[in-house]
Structures are given as structure tokens and as C-alpha cells.
Amino acid sequence: MSYFMHDIGIGSSEEPFKSLLTQGMVHGRTLASSSTGRWLTPAEVSRGCNGEEIETATGEPVDVLYAKMSKSKHNGVDPSDIIAKYGADTARAFVLFKAPPSAVLTWDSDSIQGTLDSLWSIVAPQSVVQHVEKQGVN
């Protein structure tokens, strides 16, 4: 629309905005075979005797890294699971406050509980939070 208005002489600029803010990438915990580099599913990995993660089938060590979420790397997170457990508002707040829009967001499902706790501390007095915790409601 801005291009059209500029072309017919009623717009002052071709571009409607001064700059474009692209959102950052979401990285997830990724498991790869140390020997072959093959992406592994969480089901293919177990804990070894020393607590390190190993490939269950071969017993070889596993490289743990954070990489762009994708189906081929088996590191995606189902949003419906997060929403069912914590609620949509907590999921949104987690994504908003975990990293600025221009930075990489390293997904860590374990830290969502901290976001929920922070939201509760803002919107509810401590007595309400204690009551809710006794009832076992998130």
C-alpha cells in the first residue's frame, strides 16, 4: 500500500516503517551421536553409570547442544503440552521474557515454572499463593 501511495504521489515514503525487527530463533536441547553425528531422539538416550548421557543402543557418549528447533533434530516442543501444564498466559510470558526479540531464545522447559512463580508473585498476595499451592493448582 505504501508503494502504491508513493507511486501516485500521495505518500512521502515507499517504506511504511523505518526498520524491520525480526524475531530471534528458538533453540532447543539437541542430542547427537558423538561418533556419527546422527541426531538422536530423547528415547534413544539414557544416563550412564557416571551420570553422563549415552546412546542406549551403543553405549557411546552423546553430544548435548542447543540448536535451531526442527523435526529432523528431534528437539521440538509441543506447545499444547506446555499450555496444558502451565497455561497459555504463562507460556506467552515465558517466551516474551526469556530473551529479547532480536536474540536467540534457548528453550528450557524447566524454567517455565519460574515464570509462573513470578506471575503469581505479581498478581496475587502471598496468602493466595500459599492457598493455591496447598490445593495443588497451577
Side-chain angles (χ1 to χ4, degrees):
M1 188 69 164
S2 291
Y3 286 112
F4 171 73
M5 292 173 63
H6 181 265
D7 287 348
I8 63 172
I10 59 173
S12 60
S13 173
E14 288 183 351
E15 294 292 336
F17 303 102
K18 290 182 181 179
S19 66
L20 174 65
L21 173 65
T22 58
Q23 295 180 353
M25 188 66 60
V26 180
H27 286 194
R29 188 169 182 271
T30 309
L31 306 166
S33 169
S34 293
S35 60
T36 65
R38 183 177 70 88
W39 304 117
L40 302 171
T41 66
E44 295 176 289
V45 175
S46 58
R47 293 262 179 217
C49 299
N50 298 332
E52 78 281 359
E53 294 185 278
I54 59 169
E55 190 173 353
T56 306
T58 63
E60 293 184 18
V62 170
D63 294 331
V64 179
L65 52 124
Y66 282 83
K68 175 183 158 188
M69 283 189 175
S70 70
K71 288 186 269 183
S72 63
K73 293 179 184 167
H74 313 291
N75 64 351
V77 175
D78 186 355
S80 60
D81 293 342
I82 301 298
I83 292 168
K85 185 171 182 179
Y86 298 104
D89 291 334
T90 302
R92 286 186 197 107
F94 175 73
V95 170
L96 285 172
F97 297 120
K98 181 72 174 165
S102 59
V104 170
L105 187 156
T106 302
W107 189 268
D108 177 17
S109 295
D110 295 336
S111 64
I112 296 175
Q113 183 64 45
T115 302
L116 180 61
D117 295 343
S118 297
L119 289 174
W120 272 115
S121 70
I122 293 168
V123 300
Q126 190 59 32
S127 59
V128 173
V129 173
Q130 289 170 350
H131 174 73
V132 168
E133 287 174 349
K134 285 180 185 176
Q135 301 299 318
V137 178
N138 270 337

